[in-house]
Amino acid sequence: MDSNNNEIMHDFPPFFKVFRDGSIERYMPLHDPIPAGLDPTTGVQSKDVVVSPETGAKARIFIPKINGGGQKLPLFVHYHGGGFCMGSPFGDIGKKFLSSLVLKANVIVISVGYRLAPEHRLPIAYDDSASALHWISCHSNGQGPEAWLNEYADLNRVFLGGESAGANIAHYVAVQAGVTVPLGLNIVGLVMVHPFFGGKERDEMYKFLSSTSSGCDDDPKLNPAADPDLVKMPCGKVLVCVAEKDWLRDRGVSYHETLENLKGEGFAELYETKGEDHCFHMFNPNPNIDKAGDLLLKIVDFVTQC
């Protein structure tokens, strides 16, 4: 490689760096997918589905063991984190937490895959994620392309949620659901775990990843308080989870305050995990114990109450 081309032009650890010739090198490789199917330990079954034939975007559905027909369960639509440039519904990270959520809350989870930046510049991840919700809504009459959703998912009880960048996407999709034509589903709750939003300073990585954003707090995707459509967000309640040692903690707290000021006290609930860092629960080998277990039970309680 020519020495000039080898010059690093942008460096965003721990995610990726960009060379003068435009090539991208990730600090951590993208994880290989693990097969869907029956988990003999939990009894949770999973399958992969195409949610957009045009783009090839896929999702993984997790479903508990269901005894007998006619049983409809709430649907939890999950968006994974990873700084918009890493992560997947098909890897090992998050699988145990989502499977535990399926079992304890007795819900169906569909974890949405979206095309990753920087190869696919933002807002593509947002568009893929919103399109996935439209695909899900096609099952509201029981005539959609995926049998599991037709038979088992109650689209009158839909939750959106995610962690980190995935929480940011979940928020965006929820707002857009209130802006666009009715989808034929009812979003009863939004679960925001360690959400990523912008601060007062320009976010250089986000600006690089996006073809449209200034990277500053004038962008509604980075600053919900600047979004005139925020009031249209249709979900019934919001759970905002933060971690004491997370560098994004204060932004999560600010997001909670924004919702409370806009929609009134009680619309949004704040839950803080003491002594933990960003997305600690997704890497816990047993998400049912310790503080990861406490966070899981909080989410389960929120889903059950909603």
Side-chain angles (χ1 to χ4, degrees):
M1 180 184 289
D2 185 278
S3 59
N4 289 330
N5 289 338
N6 200 30
E7 182 182 357
I8 296 174
M9 303 302 294
H10 303 280
D11 194 3
F12 301 112
F15 297 107
F16 63 90
K17 50 190 171 185
V18 184
F19 296 96
R20 179 177 288 278
D21 65 357
S23 61
I24 296 164
E25 180 181 309
R26 283 180 163 81
Y27 281 93
M28 295 177 284
L30 297 176
H31 294 281
D32 292 330
I34 58 175
L38 175 65
D39 183 340
T41 303
T42 63
V44 172
Q45 294 190 76
S46 61
K47 72 159 70 169
D48 297 338
V49 294
V50 176
V51 297
S52 174
E54 294 79 15
T55 66
K58 297 181 180 180
R60 178 163 288 185
I61 304 176
F62 299 83
I63 191 168
K65 184 178 181 180
I66 296 178
N67 298 315
Q71 184 180 7
K72 294 274 190 173
L73 301 178
L75 181 67
F76 192 106
V77 184
H78 171 259
Y79 299 98
H80 68 81
F84 305 98
C85 59
M86 297 180 65
S88 164
F90 314 111
D92 193 46
I93 295 177
K95 174 179 177 289
K96 292 180 180 179
F97 192 85
L98 293 178
S99 294
S100 295
L101 177 61
V102 166
L103 288 177
K104 290 186 179 294
N106 200 30
V107 298
I108 298 169
V109 168
I110 179 167
S111 187
V112 173
Y114 48 84
R115 288 172 287 175
L116 298 177
E119 293 85 354
H120 303 281
R121 303 282 296 280
L122 299 175
I124 287 176
Y126 294 100
D127 295 340
D128 286 353
S129 300
S131 294
L133 190 65
H134 280 267
W135 179 86
I136 292 168
S137 74
C138 293
H139 299 79
S140 59
N141 61 0
Q143 302 294 317
E146 172 45 48
W148 279 6
L149 296 184
N150 288 329
E151 188 169 356
Y152 300 121
D154 182 356
L155 297 191
N156 284 314
R157 293 183 291 166
V158 175
F159 295 83
L160 305 184
E163 65 284 340
S164 194
N168 179 285
I169 290 174
H171 165 83
Y172 171 82
V173 173
V175 172
Q176 292 307 302
V179 172
T180 58
V181 295
L183 293 177
L185 49 76
N186 183 32
I187 302 172
V188 296
L190 177 64
V191 178
M192 303 283 288
V193 181
H194 309 166
F196 165 78
F197 290 110
K200 295 187 179 301
E201 302 297 323
R202 184 189 308 276
D203 190 307
E204 295 295 345
M205 177 173 148
Y206 190 90
K207 183 176 184 296
F208 177 81
L209 293 177
S210 175
S211 62
T212 59
S213 178
S214 67
C216 298
D217 61 5
D218 62 340
D219 183 345
K221 294 185 180 70
L222 292 176
N223 178 20
D227 188 354
D229 291 326
L230 181 61
V231 69
K232 300 175 184 178
M233 189 167 68
C235 58
K237 295 195 74 173
V238 180
L239 174 64
V240 184
C241 302
V242 299
E244 182 183 24
K245 295 184 178 180
D246 185 2
W247 68 281
L248 291 173
R249 176 199 175 276
D250 291 347
R251 300 181 192 183
V253 172
S254 177
Y255 173 71
H256 170 262
E257 293 172 351
T258 296
L259 294 181
E260 289 278 274
N261 291 336
L262 183 71
K263 295 262 191 172
E265 185 177 352
F267 173 70
E269 180 180 358
L270 183 68
Y271 176 80
E272 181 170 10
T273 302
K274 298 293 186 181
E276 294 290 352
D277 212 328
H278 189 65
C279 290
F280 70 95
H281 61 295
M282 300 299 283
F283 302 94
N284 194 313
N286 186 350
N288 296 292
I289 63 173
D290 301 327
K291 293 178 182 178
D294 294 339
L295 175 59
L296 173 63
L297 289 177
K298 182 62 186 179
I299 296 171
V300 169
D301 180 66
F302 175 79
V303 169
T304 303
Q305 293 299 320
C306 285

